[in-house]
Amino acid sequence: MAQDFFARSVHEVAWDLIGATFFVDGVGGPIVEVEAYHHTDPAAHSYGGQTARNAVMFGPPGHVYVYRSYGVHWCVNFVCEAEGSASAVLIRALMPTEGLAVMRRRRGLSDERLLCAGPGRLCEALAITSAYNGAPLDKAPFTLLARTAPVEIAAGPRIGISKAVDLPWRYGWAGSRFLSKPFRADGKF
DNA sequence: TATGAGATCAACT
DNA sequence: GTTGATCTCATAC
């Protein structure tokens, strides 16, 4: 997918990433859950300015920002908007379709539903580490394909944060069984 | 089903 | 010294 795709508001990008297919070395599947983080958002890593950790967020769109979560897991973001706007979309879950055997081995788990249902799980299944921090999405080992069919998208509050908890900036494929957590069916938060 | 602790590290105060 | 954009396992109900 071209860089133009990411040079838009985080929310448009987040919305369009649902149903888009993401592979790392041919392993992955359609994205079913993401969260948007904007630099004006107190919950974003880029809130409060550039630091060593979040430097990639301040760079050009279409690159990946990888960080260590709770000292144990990795989480991936796709940088959006314009260079310096420091906005990104956190990839939280996908539907495992390609490389099932590899993902099961990496996760030490057979339950398909739990292979990529959560940012830390997804990174373990796709073998994403800080080695990829700052890497461009339009080059190997990454493959990103726009969705080809319309999907029903749900929105709700983000998970695991303590600031700006009410902003409905978590987006997902409504009804998917591969979400890290279901969305409320009534559309309310 | 629900809640709680532990893992483990680097950024940031 | 404190705090997470988390996950797993154990224990309780």
Side-chain angles (χ1 to χ4, degrees), chain A residues 1-3 6 22-24 56 60-66 77-79 131-144:
Chain A
M1 232 145 32
Q3 184 158 319
F6 293 101
F22 181 49
F23 295 133
V24 178
V56 173
H63 291 238
V64 301
Y65 163 48
V66 183
N77 294 251
F78 295 170
V79 178
Y132 293 120
N133 193 35
L137 276 162
D138 58 358
K139 295 196 177 70
F142 300 115
T143 308
L144 191 57

Side-chain angles (χ1 to χ4, degrees), chain A residues 87-135:
Chain A
S87 302
V89 174
L90 170 70
I91 310 303
R92 290 192 54 89
L94 62 74
M95 181 190 323
T97 57
E98 299 297 320
L100 269 284
V102 178
M103 289 192 263
R104 285 203 175 96
R105 192 181 68 235
R106 287 173 180 159
R107 296 269 298 114
L109 205 111
S110 60
D111 189 345
E112 204 173 299
R113 199 180 63 80
L114 295 176
L115 286 181
C116 303
R121 292 163 171 168
L122 184 151
C123 284
E124 187 174 33
L126 302 198
I128 294 172
T129 68
S130 61
Y132 293 120
N133 193 35

Side-chain angles (χ1 to χ4, degrees), chain A residues 6-74:
Chain A
F6 293 101
R8 298 178 293 150
S9 95
V10 258
H11 300 291
E12 287 179 52
V13 177
W15 191 270
D16 284 339
L17 279 173
I18 302 302
T21 304
F22 181 49
F23 295 133
V24 178
D25 272 329
V27 175
I31 295 169
V32 299
E33 182 183 343
V34 301
E35 281 176 5
Y37 287 89
H38 193 262
H39 70 287
T40 56
D41 161 17
H45 286 174
S46 54
Y47 185 75
Q50 184 170 345
T51 65
R53 177 177 64 160
N54 66 25
V56 173
M57 282 185 80
F58 287 81
H63 291 238
V64 301
Y65 163 48
V66 183
Y67 69 93
R68 178 86 92 171
S69 172
Y70 290 90
V72 244
H73 301 105
W74 298 106

